[in-house]
């Protein structure tokens, strides 16, 4: 059980060592969200929802609860919560770049430049305003190229803008200083401020965020791979059960998000061209909600295979595996790894992925994803700990790379092949039935 008490306990992070986990017939849960995860939790056999201050075994919490209560909450051995304490080391854009840069230097020292080059999957990045002068120096080395400015802790494309002129950044800095000054001097935000930010948002619309907000300036990818002339990004789910040792699972399903407008560098102010966020694209004048702007990742993989061949796609997805693992390894020594915590990451990295469905297909994907997440968290005590697949999840790292078991796929005959199946057929129901058959038989006996 877990109780929210402002009491200090001996041991790391305020926990006492309790007896080993045991199978539980009834799991009491709390949930801070009211979308798909709540549906999944309420439909899970043997799980009972707890209201208000009732004792609980499992909590799908939000990050605010984590910040306010984690260090003051006593937890029994079996209790689980859905975030690691300092998850932001991997989700804030400035922190993840800092951690990747540090990890790359560590790899170069320990394993050489060739291994360090495996971390070269992110563009030249500067934190603003602290690295403004370094950015200006780099900017002047390559005049005329396109840069993108992103707030470090916002979502849904808010606050992002592209630029090619240093004047745009200077104007941005002036706006930031004005906002910070007015907030510190107590100037009423109700007073009419008529200037606008570079992204077209009124200053008084951002009053709650600006005083503590930093940005990153990144070199923009000017020649992205396009499908149908449109930009896209991939949304891939990784479940981390532990950082020490690192244990991570990769989900077979995911999706690609497309821009609504064909790509061009002739205009850098059109968010419908350059951003793939659904929250942005669905406001486009010609957006078709029936058609949407998503592909399931199986469809994406089939397209690439038809165009470039199976071998090239295998190599590409293996390089994607490297990005997933290196991103997690870059924070392995800074994340507070606690046995009560797990985290479902959405890569490009998000610790609170949207679990609200935008279509029936999206709802089914997220329902199955969350069901399998709970299967791996295993509050019921049904797993042995030796599984390499649970439903739609494949174990990709377990204190080291995990090898693929089957040999019936078009993969190289020699060398190591990772146990990842992103974009392959997800026959999760069949696999779960076989996996839990011994447990169901035991229950009947």
């Amino acid at each position: 059980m877990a109780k929210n008490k402002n009491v200090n306990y001996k041991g790391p992070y305020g926990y006492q060592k309790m007896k080993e986990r045991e199978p539980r017939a009834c799991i009491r849960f709390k949930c801070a969200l009211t979308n798909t995860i709540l549906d999944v939790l309420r439909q899970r056999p043997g799980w009972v929802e707890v209201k208000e201050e009732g004792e609980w075994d499992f909590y799908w919490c939000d990050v605010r609860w984590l910040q306010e209560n984690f260090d003051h909450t006593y937890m029994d051995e079996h209790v689980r919560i859905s975030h690691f304490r300092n998850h932001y080391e991997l989700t804030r854009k400035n922190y993840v770049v800092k951690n990747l840069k540090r990890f790359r230097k560590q790899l170069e020292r320990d394993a050489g430049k060739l291994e360090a080059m495996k971390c070269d999957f992110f563009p030249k990045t500067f934190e603003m305003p602290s690295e403004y002068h370094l950015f200006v120096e780099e900017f002047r080395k390559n005049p005329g190229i396109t840069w993108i400015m992103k707030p470090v802790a916002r979502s849904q494309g808010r606050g992002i803008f592209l630029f090619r002129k240093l004047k745009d950044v200077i104007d941005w800095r002036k706006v930031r200083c004005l906002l910070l000054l007015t907030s510190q001097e107590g100037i009423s935000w109700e007073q009419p401020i008529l200037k606008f930010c570079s992204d077209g948002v009124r200053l008084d619309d951002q009053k709650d965020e600006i005083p503590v907000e930093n940005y990153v300036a990144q070199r923009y990818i000017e020649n992205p791979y396009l499908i149908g002339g449109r930009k896209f990004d991939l949304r891939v789910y990784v479940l981390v059960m532990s950082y020490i040792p690192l244990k991570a699972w990769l989900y077979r399903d995911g999706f690609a998000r497309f821009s609504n407008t064909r790509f061009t560098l002739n205009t850098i102010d059109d968010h419908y061209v350059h951003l793939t966020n659904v929250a942005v694209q669905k406001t486009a004048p010609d957006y078709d909600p029936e058609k949407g702007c998503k592909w399931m990742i199986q469809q994406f993989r089939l397209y690439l295979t038809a165009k470039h061949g199976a071998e090239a796609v295998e190599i590409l997805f293996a390089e994607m595996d490297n990005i997933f693992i290196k991103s997690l390894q870059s924070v392995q020594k800074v994340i507070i790894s606690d046995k009560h915590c797990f985290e479902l990451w959405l890569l490009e990295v998000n610790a609170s992925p949207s679990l609200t469905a935008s279509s029936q297909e999206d709802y089914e994907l997220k329902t199955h994803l969350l069901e399998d997440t709970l299967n791996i968290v295993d509050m019921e005590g049904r797993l042995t700990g030796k599984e390499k697949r649970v439903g739609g999840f494949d174990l990709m790292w377990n204190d080291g790379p995990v090898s693929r078991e089957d040999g019936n796929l078009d993969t190289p005959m020699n060398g190591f092949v990772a146990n990842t199946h992103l974009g392959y057929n997800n026959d999760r129901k069949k696999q779960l039935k076989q996996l839990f058959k011994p447990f169901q038989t035991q229950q009947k006996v």
Side-chain angles (χ1 to χ4, degrees), residues 192-206:
I193 301 177
L194 301 180
K195 292 186 178 180
F196 286 72
C197 292
S198 304
D199 55 1
V201 179
R202 285 179 64 98
L203 301 186
D204 50 356
D205 288 340
Q206 300 187 357

Side-chain angles (χ1 to χ4, degrees), residues 403-420:
S403 63
R404 187 178 293 181
E405 290 179 340
D406 52 48
N408 60 348
L409 298 172
D410 294 330
T411 55
M413 296 300 293
N414 299 319
F416 177 86
V417 181
N419 183 46
T420 54

